[in-house]
Amino acid sequence: MAYKLLEVKDLVTRFYTPEGVVHAVNGMSFNLDEGETLGIVGESGCGKSVSVLSILRLIPNPPGKIEQGKAIFLGRDLLQLPIDELRHVRGMEIGMIFQDPMTSLNPVMTIEHQLAEPMVEHLGMSKRDARDRIIELLQMVGIPNPAERIREYPHQFSGGMRQRAMIAMALSCNPKILIADEPTTALDVTIQAQIVDLVNQLQDKLGMAIIWITHDLGVVARLVNRVVVMYAGYPVERASVKDTYGNPRHPYTISLLRSLPRIDMQREERLENIEGRPPDLFEEPAFCPFAPRCPFVQDKCWQENPGMRSVGENHEIACWFDVTKDDL
Protein backbone atom coordinates (compact mmCIF):
# COMPACT_ATOMS: atom_id res chain seq x y z
CA MET A 1 0.00 0.00 0.00
CA ALA A 2 1.37 3.44 -1.00
CA TYR A 3 2.05 5.86 1.84
CA LYS A 4 1.29 9.56 1.91
CA LEU A 5 4.30 11.65 0.85
CA LEU A 6 2.80 15.12 0.99
CA GLU A 7 -0.31 16.58 2.60
CA VAL A 8 -1.21 20.20 1.93
CA LYS A 9 -3.91 21.67 4.18
CA ASP A 10 -5.76 25.00 3.86
CA LEU A 11 -2.95 26.86 2.09
CA VAL A 12 -3.56 30.62 1.79
CA THR A 13 -1.19 32.94 -0.09
CA ARG A 14 -1.61 36.67 -0.64
CA PHE A 15 0.31 39.32 -2.59
CA TYR A 16 0.37 42.80 -1.06
CA THR A 17 0.71 45.27 -3.94
CA PRO A 18 0.26 49.05 -4.24
CA GLU A 19 -3.03 48.37 -6.07
CA GLY A 20 -4.36 46.14 -3.27
CA VAL A 21 -4.23 42.60 -1.89
CA VAL A 22 -4.24 39.79 -4.46
CA HIS A 23 -6.01 36.70 -3.07
CA ALA A 24 -3.91 34.24 -5.08
CA VAL A 25 -4.51 30.98 -3.18
CA ASN A 26 -7.54 30.52 -0.94
CA GLY A 27 -7.55 27.30 1.08
CA MET A 28 -5.78 24.87 -1.26
CA SER A 29 -5.69 21.28 0.05
CA PHE A 30 -4.52 18.01 -1.51
CA ASN A 31 -2.59 14.80 -0.81
CA LEU A 32 0.13 13.09 -2.83
CA ASP A 33 0.89 9.40 -2.38
CA GLU A 34 4.10 7.53 -3.12
CA GLY A 35 4.50 6.88 -6.85
CA GLU A 36 1.33 8.82 -7.74
CA THR A 37 0.89 11.50 -10.39
CA LEU A 38 -1.41 14.36 -9.38
CA GLY A 39 -2.62 16.94 -11.89
CA ILE A 40 -3.47 20.51 -10.84
CA VAL A 41 -5.48 22.18 -13.62
CA GLY A 42 -7.31 25.41 -14.30
CA GLU A 43 -7.13 28.52 -16.44
CA SER A 44 -4.24 30.99 -16.27
CA GLY A 45 -4.13 33.00 -13.05
CA CYS A 46 -6.15 30.53 -10.96
CA GLY A 47 -3.32 29.90 -8.46
CA LYS A 48 -1.81 26.62 -9.71
CA SER A 49 1.82 27.70 -9.80
CA VAL A 50 1.57 29.91 -6.72
CA SER A 51 0.28 26.91 -4.74
CA VAL A 52 3.35 24.74 -5.40
CA LEU A 53 5.79 27.64 -5.15
CA SER A 54 4.26 28.39 -1.74
CA ILE A 55 4.88 24.80 -0.61
CA LEU A 56 8.61 25.26 -1.25
CA ARG A 57 8.49 28.87 0.03
CA LEU A 58 9.70 30.25 -3.29
CA ILE A 59 7.20 33.11 -3.21
CA PRO A 60 9.10 36.44 -3.11
CA ASN A 61 8.42 38.20 0.20
CA PRO A 62 7.50 41.02 -0.22
CA PRO A 63 5.06 41.24 -1.93
CA GLY A 64 3.98 37.62 -1.37
CA LYS A 65 3.07 36.14 1.98
CA ILE A 66 1.91 32.67 2.99
CA GLU A 67 -0.86 33.56 5.43
CA GLN A 68 -1.79 30.10 6.70
CA GLY A 69 -1.73 26.39 5.98
CA LYS A 70 0.44 23.32 6.35
CA ALA A 71 2.53 21.30 3.89
CA ILE A 72 3.44 18.05 5.66
CA PHE A 73 6.23 16.22 3.81
CA LEU A 74 7.33 12.97 5.47
CA GLY A 75 6.25 14.25 8.88
CA ARG A 76 7.79 17.75 8.52
CA ASP A 77 5.85 20.95 7.86
CA LEU A 78 7.70 22.64 5.00
CA LEU A 79 6.10 25.97 5.87
CA GLN A 80 7.72 25.89 9.33
CA LEU A 81 11.12 24.33 8.56
CA PRO A 82 14.25 26.40 9.22
CA ILE A 83 15.52 27.74 5.92
CA ASP A 84 18.71 25.63 6.01
CA GLU A 85 16.65 22.44 6.29
CA LEU A 86 14.27 23.63 3.58
CA ARG A 87 17.19 24.22 1.19
CA HIS A 88 18.13 20.57 1.68
CA VAL A 89 14.58 19.52 0.76
CA ARG A 90 14.57 21.67 -2.38
CA GLY A 91 16.37 19.84 -5.13
CA MET A 92 17.39 16.93 -2.90
CA GLU A 93 14.00 15.50 -1.93
CA ILE A 94 11.64 17.60 -4.06
CA GLY A 95 12.76 18.48 -7.58
CA MET A 96 11.09 21.08 -9.77
CA ILE A 97 10.85 21.71 -13.51
CA PHE A 98 10.00 25.35 -14.08
CA GLN A 99 7.73 26.78 -16.73
CA ASP A 100 10.19 28.43 -19.14
CA PRO A 101 13.43 26.49 -19.71
CA MET A 102 15.14 29.50 -21.33
CA THR A 103 14.77 31.77 -18.31
CA SER A 104 15.23 28.94 -15.78
CA LEU A 105 18.76 28.17 -16.98
CA ASN A 106 21.59 30.66 -16.44
CA PRO A 107 22.64 31.87 -19.92
CA VAL A 108 26.30 32.47 -18.95
CA MET A 109 26.97 29.07 -17.36
CA THR A 110 27.51 25.78 -19.15
CA ILE A 111 24.99 22.96 -18.85
CA GLU A 112 27.62 20.96 -16.93
CA HIS A 113 28.14 23.70 -14.35
CA GLN A 114 24.42 24.12 -13.72
CA LEU A 115 23.60 20.42 -13.46
CA ALA A 116 26.60 19.74 -11.22
CA GLU A 117 25.64 22.35 -8.62
CA PRO A 118 22.84 20.42 -6.84
CA MET A 119 24.89 17.21 -6.76
CA VAL A 120 27.93 18.94 -5.29
CA GLU A 121 25.75 20.87 -2.82
CA HIS A 122 23.38 18.12 -1.66
CA LEU A 123 25.25 14.86 -2.31
CA GLY A 124 28.81 16.04 -1.69
CA MET A 125 29.96 14.69 -5.06
CA SER A 126 33.31 15.62 -6.54
CA LYS A 127 33.21 17.49 -9.84
CA ARG A 128 34.51 14.40 -11.66
CA ASP A 129 31.77 12.16 -10.21
CA ALA A 130 29.16 14.83 -10.89
CA ARG A 131 30.30 15.04 -14.52
CA ASP A 132 29.84 11.29 -14.96
CA ARG A 133 26.38 11.52 -13.39
CA ILE A 134 25.43 14.46 -15.67
CA ILE A 135 26.38 12.48 -18.77
CA GLU A 136 24.26 9.57 -17.49
CA LEU A 137 21.30 11.88 -16.80
CA LEU A 138 21.45 13.64 -20.17
CA GLN A 139 21.57 10.26 -21.86
CA MET A 140 18.56 9.18 -19.79
CA VAL A 141 16.50 12.18 -20.92
CA GLY A 142 17.38 11.65 -24.57
CA ILE A 143 20.05 14.26 -25.32
CA PRO A 144 22.48 12.88 -27.94
CA ASN A 145 26.28 13.06 -27.48
CA PRO A 146 25.98 14.19 -23.84
CA ALA A 147 29.74 14.07 -23.17
CA GLU A 148 30.25 16.82 -25.75
CA ARG A 149 27.05 18.79 -25.15
CA ILE A 150 27.59 19.36 -21.42
CA ARG A 151 30.19 22.00 -22.34
CA GLU A 152 27.60 24.01 -24.25
CA TYR A 153 25.47 26.95 -23.07
CA PRO A 154 21.63 27.07 -22.91
CA HIS A 155 21.35 29.18 -26.09
CA GLN A 156 23.01 26.33 -28.00
CA PHE A 157 20.15 23.98 -27.04
CA SER A 158 16.72 23.96 -28.68
CA GLY A 159 13.63 24.59 -26.51
CA GLY A 160 12.92 20.88 -26.18
CA MET A 161 16.57 20.12 -25.34
CA ARG A 162 16.62 22.86 -22.68
CA GLN A 163 13.52 21.35 -21.11
CA ARG A 164 15.17 17.91 -21.13
CA ALA A 165 18.19 19.46 -19.41
CA MET A 166 15.86 20.97 -16.78
CA ILE A 167 14.30 17.54 -16.22
CA ALA A 168 17.80 16.06 -15.81
CA MET A 169 18.63 18.76 -13.24
CA ALA A 170 15.42 18.11 -11.32
CA LEU A 171 16.22 14.37 -11.20
CA SER A 172 19.90 14.74 -10.35
CA CYS A 173 19.49 13.95 -6.64
CA ASN A 174 16.81 11.24 -7.07
CA PRO A 175 13.97 13.23 -5.47
CA LYS A 176 10.91 11.58 -3.99
CA ILE A 177 8.64 14.20 -5.61
CA LEU A 178 8.97 15.91 -8.98
CA ILE A 179 6.97 19.11 -9.49
CA ALA A 180 6.42 19.99 -13.15
CA ASP A 181 5.10 23.55 -13.54
CA GLU A 182 3.58 23.67 -17.04
CA PRO A 183 6.80 22.22 -18.52
CA THR A 184 5.39 21.91 -22.05
CA THR A 185 3.79 25.37 -22.39
CA ALA A 186 6.55 27.01 -24.47
CA LEU A 187 7.08 23.99 -26.72
CA ASP A 188 5.47 22.91 -29.97
CA VAL A 189 2.99 20.03 -29.99
CA THR A 190 5.43 17.36 -31.15
CA ILE A 191 8.00 18.25 -28.47
CA GLN A 192 5.22 18.45 -25.86
CA ALA A 193 4.28 14.84 -26.61
CA GLN A 194 7.93 13.76 -26.35
CA ILE A 195 8.34 15.48 -22.95
CA VAL A 196 5.14 13.86 -21.59
CA ASP A 197 6.30 10.43 -22.81
CA LEU A 198 9.73 11.02 -21.30
CA VAL A 199 8.30 11.93 -17.88
CA ASN A 200 6.08 8.83 -18.01
CA GLN A 201 9.08 6.62 -18.76
CA LEU A 202 11.19 8.21 -16.02
CA GLN A 203 8.44 7.74 -13.47
CA ASP A 204 8.16 4.06 -14.36
CA LYS A 205 11.92 3.71 -14.06
CA LEU A 206 12.54 5.80 -10.93
CA GLY A 207 9.22 5.43 -9.06
CA MET A 208 8.93 9.09 -8.01
CA ALA A 209 5.66 10.89 -7.33
CA ILE A 210 4.78 13.79 -9.65
CA ILE A 211 2.72 16.97 -9.34
CA TRP A 212 1.91 18.11 -12.89
CA ILE A 213 0.58 21.68 -13.21
CA THR A 214 -1.11 22.56 -16.48
CA HIS A 215 -4.04 24.19 -18.22
CA ASP A 216 -3.87 21.49 -20.93
CA LEU A 217 -6.50 18.89 -20.09
CA GLY A 218 -5.29 16.71 -22.95
CA VAL A 219 -1.94 16.24 -21.19
CA VAL A 220 -3.67 15.45 -17.89
CA ALA A 221 -5.79 12.69 -19.40
CA ARG A 222 -2.81 10.56 -20.36
CA LEU A 223 -0.46 11.33 -17.51
CA VAL A 224 -2.09 11.59 -14.07
CA ASN A 225 -3.95 9.42 -11.54
CA ARG A 226 -5.90 12.16 -9.77
CA VAL A 227 -6.89 15.73 -10.60
CA VAL A 228 -7.42 18.90 -8.58
CA VAL A 229 -9.35 21.55 -10.53
CA MET A 230 -8.73 25.15 -9.37
CA TYR A 231 -10.71 28.32 -9.95
CA ALA A 232 -9.94 31.79 -8.56
CA GLY A 233 -7.43 30.36 -6.08
CA TYR A 234 -9.87 27.75 -4.74
CA PRO A 235 -9.89 23.99 -5.29
CA VAL A 236 -13.34 23.29 -6.78
CA GLU A 237 -13.11 19.58 -7.67
CA ARG A 238 -10.87 16.71 -6.54
CA ALA A 239 -11.32 13.33 -8.23
CA SER A 240 -9.65 10.46 -10.05
CA VAL A 241 -8.76 11.20 -13.67
CA LYS A 242 -11.48 8.74 -14.71
CA ASP A 243 -14.19 10.62 -12.77
CA THR A 244 -12.86 14.03 -13.82
CA TYR A 245 -13.41 13.19 -17.48
CA GLY A 246 -16.21 10.64 -17.23
CA ASN A 247 -18.29 12.07 -14.39
CA PRO A 248 -17.38 15.72 -13.70
CA ARG A 249 -19.63 17.22 -11.02
CA HIS A 250 -18.58 20.85 -10.63
CA PRO A 251 -20.07 23.31 -13.15
CA TYR A 252 -16.63 24.79 -13.89
CA THR A 253 -15.09 21.39 -14.66
CA ILE A 254 -18.09 20.49 -16.85
CA SER A 255 -17.82 23.79 -18.74
CA LEU A 256 -14.05 23.41 -19.11
CA LEU A 257 -14.38 19.95 -20.63
CA ARG A 258 -17.13 21.05 -23.00
CA SER A 259 -14.83 23.75 -24.38
CA LEU A 260 -12.30 21.15 -25.58
CA PRO A 261 -12.23 19.69 -29.11
CA ARG A 262 -13.10 15.98 -29.31
CA ILE A 263 -12.25 13.31 -31.86
CA ASP A 264 -15.94 12.36 -32.18
CA MET A 265 -17.11 15.94 -32.90
CA GLN A 266 -19.15 16.46 -36.04
CA ARG A 267 -18.03 19.05 -38.58
CA GLU A 268 -21.04 21.28 -37.85
CA GLU A 269 -20.50 21.22 -34.06
CA ARG A 270 -18.93 24.27 -32.42
CA LEU A 271 -16.79 24.42 -29.32
CA GLU A 272 -18.57 25.95 -26.33
CA ASN A 273 -17.04 28.82 -24.42
CA ILE A 274 -17.38 29.77 -20.76
CA GLU A 275 -19.29 33.03 -20.69
CA GLY A 276 -17.97 35.98 -18.70
CA ARG A 277 -14.50 36.78 -17.39
CA PRO A 278 -12.30 35.34 -14.64
CA PRO A 279 -12.88 36.99 -11.25
CA ASP A 280 -10.97 39.97 -9.90
CA LEU A 281 -8.53 38.48 -7.36
CA PHE A 282 -8.24 41.82 -5.57
CA GLU A 283 -11.61 41.00 -3.99
CA GLU A 284 -12.20 37.94 -1.81
CA PRO A 285 -15.75 36.84 -2.65
CA ALA A 286 -18.27 36.09 0.10
CA PHE A 287 -20.12 33.97 -2.49
CA CYS A 288 -19.16 31.16 -4.87
CA PRO A 289 -16.40 32.59 -7.11
CA PHE A 290 -17.82 30.81 -10.16
CA ALA A 291 -21.35 32.16 -9.61
CA PRO A 292 -21.04 35.06 -12.14
CA ARG A 293 -20.24 32.56 -14.94
CA CYS A 294 -22.16 29.48 -13.80
CA PRO A 295 -25.07 28.18 -15.93
CA PHE A 296 -26.60 26.55 -12.81
CA VAL A 297 -26.34 29.55 -10.46
CA GLN A 298 -29.07 29.93 -7.83
CA ASP A 299 -29.75 32.35 -4.98
CA LYS A 300 -27.76 30.35 -2.42
CA CYS A 301 -24.64 30.63 -4.60
CA TRP A 302 -24.63 34.42 -4.10
CA GLN A 303 -25.05 34.14 -0.32
CA GLU A 304 -22.20 31.83 0.72
CA ASN A 305 -19.07 30.25 -0.71
CA PRO A 306 -19.47 26.44 -0.56
CA GLY A 307 -16.78 24.25 0.98
CA MET A 308 -15.66 20.92 -0.43
CA ARG A 309 -18.10 18.02 0.00
CA SER A 310 -18.07 14.38 -1.05
CA VAL A 311 -20.13 13.27 -4.06
CA GLY A 312 -18.61 9.80 -4.41
CA GLU A 313 -15.61 7.68 -3.49
CA ASN A 314 -12.57 10.00 -3.43
CA HIS A 315 -14.59 12.60 -5.34
CA GLU A 316 -15.22 16.05 -3.85
CA ILE A 317 -16.64 19.29 -5.21
CA ALA A 318 -17.15 22.84 -3.93
CA CYS A 319 -20.74 23.35 -5.07
CA TRP A 320 -24.11 23.61 -3.31
CA PHE A 321 -25.97 21.54 -5.90
CA ASP A 322 -25.76 18.18 -7.64
CA VAL A 323 -25.23 18.58 -11.37
CA THR A 324 -23.81 16.33 -14.06
CA LYS A 325 -22.41 16.89 -17.53
CA ASP A 326 -25.79 15.82 -18.98
CA ASP A 327 -27.50 18.81 -17.31
CA LEU A 328 -25.61 21.39 -19.38
Side-chain angles (χ1 to χ4, degrees):
M1 182 177 176
Y3 64 87
K4 190 181 298 181
L5 274 180
L6 177 67
E7 184 177 10
V8 177
K9 301 178 181 177
D10 300 320
L11 180 66
V12 175
T13 302
R14 303 277 185 260
F15 288 90
Y16 292 86
T17 72
E19 292 77 23
V21 180
V22 179
H23 300 81
V25 179
N26 305 298
M28 180 62 163
S29 298
F30 64 86
N31 298 327
L32 180 70
D33 293 337
E34 178 190 26
E36 178 185 34
T37 302
L38 175 74
I40 301 179
V41 304
E43 59 197 49
S44 296
C46 71
K48 306 183 299 295
S49 296
V50 175
S51 295
V52 294
L53 291 173
S54 296
I55 292 167
L56 294 176
R57 283 156 58 189
L58 292 173
I59 298 295
N61 183 6
K65 185 179 180 183
I66 301 167
E67 297 282 6
Q68 68 177 58
K70 293 183 178 181
I72 309 299
F73 173 63
L74 298 177
R76 297 167 290 173
D77 186 354
L78 299 179
L79 303 185
Q80 301 298 326
L81 274 186
I83 193 64
D84 288 343
E85 292 183 40
L86 184 63
R87 286 197 183 105
H88 181 78
V89 171
R90 297 172 184 161
M92 177 69 176
E93 297 180 88
I94 301 178
M96 186 157 183
I97 309 168
F98 292 93
Q99 200 167 124
D100 185 349
M102 192 61 205
T103 57
S104 300
L105 292 167
N106 191 319
V108 299
M109 291 184 179
T110 64
I111 297 297
E112 178 181 4
H113 184 96
Q114 296 184 66
L115 266 67
E117 189 173 7
M119 291 182 276
V120 172
E121 174 72 21
H122 295 302
L123 302 178
M125 278 189 177
S126 67
K127 291 186 178 180
R128 180 188 293 271
D129 288 342
R131 186 175 188 275
D132 292 340
R133 172 68 172 155
I134 291 165
I135 293 171
E136 178 188 339
L137 284 166
L138 293 183
Q139 199 164 26
M140 185 188 302
V141 299
I143 293 180
N145 304 317
E148 288 77 32
R149 305 222 62 175
I150 61 173
R151 300 187 186 95
E152 296 181 357
Y153 291 85
H155 73 271
Q156 295 173 280
F157 277 37
S158 68
M161 298 264 282
R162 286 194 293 266
Q163 197 58 286
R164 289 172 186 266
M166 285 296 299
I167 293 171
M169 185 186 295
L171 298 176
S172 60
C173 296
N174 296 317
K176 294 179 174 63
I177 298 175
L178 177 67
I179 298 174
D181 184 7
E182 304 211 39
T184 61
T185 297
L187 307 175
D188 65 55
V189 175
T190 303
I191 304 302
Q192 284 182 19
Q194 292 175 5
I195 295 297
V196 171
D197 288 340
L198 172 62
V199 173
N200 260 329
Q201 294 165 15
L202 292 172
Q203 184 181 33
D204 290 342
K205 182 175 182 178
L206 304 175
M208 60 198 168
I210 297 174
I211 300 174
W212 191 282
I213 302 162
T214 185
H215 60 265
D216 188 340
L217 289 170
V219 169
V220 168
R222 56 186 293 212
L223 188 66
V224 312
N225 307 114
R226 286 190 301 119
V227 180
V228 179
V229 181
M230 290 190 71
Y231 185 79
Y234 294 90
V236 296
E237 184 155 9
R238 289 191 292 256
S240 67
V241 69
K242 181 179 178 181
D243 280 342
T244 300
Y245 286 85
N247 184 31
R249 300 292 299 277
H250 192 279
Y252 175 61
T253 311
I254 295 170
S255 299
L256 206 58
L257 290 169
R258 290 178 73 92
S259 69
L260 296 176
R262 305 187 315 276
I263 293 177
D264 62 348
M265 285 185 72
Q266 301 301 313
R267 183 183 295 271
E268 62 275 9
E269 285 188 77
R270 296 178 62 85
L271 293 176
E272 298 183 21
N273 65 320
I274 303 176
E275 298 292 338
R277 296 190 302 172
D280 183 357
L281 296 181
F282 283 109
E283 298 181 11
E284 186 174 14
F287 49 84
C288 174
F290 192 58
R293 307 172 74 185
C294 182
F296 306 104
V297 66
Q298 299 184 35
D299 289 344
K300 188 174 179 63
C301 306
W302 294 104
Q303 297 165 3
E304 190 177 351
N305 191 353
M308 297 293 278
R309 64 184 179 89
S310 177
V311 291
E313 185 178 358
N314 298 318
H315 193 165
E316 298 172 287
I317 62 170
C319 184
W320 292 116
F321 305 102
D322 289 318
V323 297
T324 69
K325 61 182 180 179
D326 296 328
D327 295 326
L328 191 61

